[in-house]
Amino acid sequence: MAHSVKIKSIKQLTHDVKQFRVEKPNGYEFTPGHATEVSIDQEKWKDEKRPFTFTSLTGDEDLEFVIKIYTDHDGVTEALDHVKPGDHLIIRDTWGAIEYKGDGYVIAGGAGITPYIAMFRDLKTKNKLDGLHLLFSNKTEKDIILKDELDQMLGDRVTYVITDQKDTQYLKGRVDKELIKNQVDDFDKNFYVCGPPQMTEDISDILKECGASPDAVTLDDQ
């Protein structure tokens, strides 16, 4: 079922990532990690649907999405860069993209963090977040989405990896086999991986080589 919902606020989180808060229809429910297909409620765009995961929780007053804007694609996210509060989006039924299976490691690249924001927030409210560690790769420190909140929720269980900034205070380089072996102390845990397709594929292969069970590895491309 489709719902036209009003955009209540838009916040710039990084130079190319925005946070959208929209009305939540009555009775609209989902679980952390779930997604819906979103389109802009305008004649040109209403049938151009794209999947986005919720970063809000089902009990929140509003729905929230954190979306990376690709201005060079001339597509939906570029069009989202021009909508304003008061405009409407169309959302549809929810479906499972990511599901929490237990303690372990989240390995995310860039906008690949978005499916896990609601998971972290939900586990934080339940005091069950202590068993998750985050490896979060970005091009520069300024690209880190919701860094203050991640630091507050995860403390020393978050490791930032920076690929394209020479003077970074964090780990420099890519999330390769050496880095993963240095950061992961138990390959019998669950692994949640989300990022660009090549990164996701490479990390999946690395985890397999290191002895992680395929059934314990959740993969999602961004």
Side-chain angles (χ1 to χ4, degrees):
M1 181 177 179
H3 305 270
S4 180
V5 293
K6 184 169 68 176
I7 299 172
K8 299 178 72 171
S9 68
I10 301 172
K11 182 179 180 181
Q12 193 86 38
L13 297 183
T14 73
H15 70 98
D16 61 358
V17 174
K18 288 186 173 182
Q19 178 189 72
F20 296 82
R21 284 204 172 98
V22 305
E23 296 172 326
K24 185 172 75 172
N26 289 334
Y28 194 82
E29 296 182 347
F30 55 92
T31 59
H34 277 198
T36 186
E37 288 190 321
V38 178
S39 58
I40 301 170
D41 197 357
Q42 297 172 3
E43 191 61 34
K44 178 181 178 181
W45 295 105
K46 63 182 181 180
D47 294 324
E48 294 290 332
K49 298 174 284 188
R50 297 293 185 273
F52 295 111
T53 48
F54 303 99
T55 51
S56 52
L57 301 180
T58 193
D60 293 345
E61 178 181 352
D62 302 322
L63 298 176
E64 179 189 284
F65 300 95
V66 172
I67 298 174
K68 183 171 182 177
I69 306 297
Y70 295 92
T71 56
D72 58 339
H73 286 193
D74 192 27
V76 171
T77 66
E78 197 275 337
L80 282 169
D81 197 29
H82 300 287
V83 299
K84 297 177 175 60
D87 291 340
H88 285 70
L89 303 179
I90 300 172
I91 62 171
R92 296 161 178 87
D93 292 341
T94 70
W95 44 274
I98 300 292
E99 183 177 335
Y100 177 67
K101 296 180 178 179
D103 293 351
Y105 297 84
V106 173
I107 305 175
I113 192 65
T114 55
Y116 299 105
I117 293 171
M119 181 191 296
F120 291 149
R121 289 173 172 173
D122 180 58
L123 292 171
K124 181 70 173 177
T125 65
K126 298 174 179 176
N127 293 317
K128 293 183 177 180
L129 190 54
D130 289 350
L132 274 184
H133 297 250
L134 171 63
L135 293 176
F136 190 13
S137 175
N138 287 273
K139 291 181 179 179
T140 73
E141 293 175 13
K142 291 182 178 180
D143 291 310
I144 301 174
I145 299 169
L146 294 174
K147 181 180 182 301
D148 289 346
E149 184 177 0
L150 292 173
D151 288 341
Q152 187 273 327
M153 289 193 293
L154 294 162
D156 61 3
R157 298 189 313 282
V158 56
T159 299
Y160 298 108
V161 183
I162 303 299
T163 61
D164 295 357
Q165 181 182 335
K166 292 182 179 179
D167 61 345
T168 180
Q169 62 180 305
Y170 303 113
L171 289 181
K172 177 75 169 67
R174 300 195 175 276
V175 182
D176 56 15
K177 187 173 183 178
E178 180 181 2
L179 187 147
I180 289 175
K181 290 181 74 173
N182 285 336
Q183 295 294 321
V184 174
D185 56 17
D186 186 355
F187 285 94
D188 289 330
K189 295 283 189 178
N190 292 288
F191 291 88
Y192 309 87
V193 184
C194 189
Q198 189 61 56
M199 174 187 175
T200 302
E201 181 180 339
D202 291 346
I203 291 175
S204 175
D205 291 341
I206 291 169
L207 293 175
K208 188 184 303 181
E209 292 170 8
C210 291
S213 168
D215 292 338
V217 179
T218 299
L219 303 174
D220 188 39
D221 292 336
Q222 284 287 307

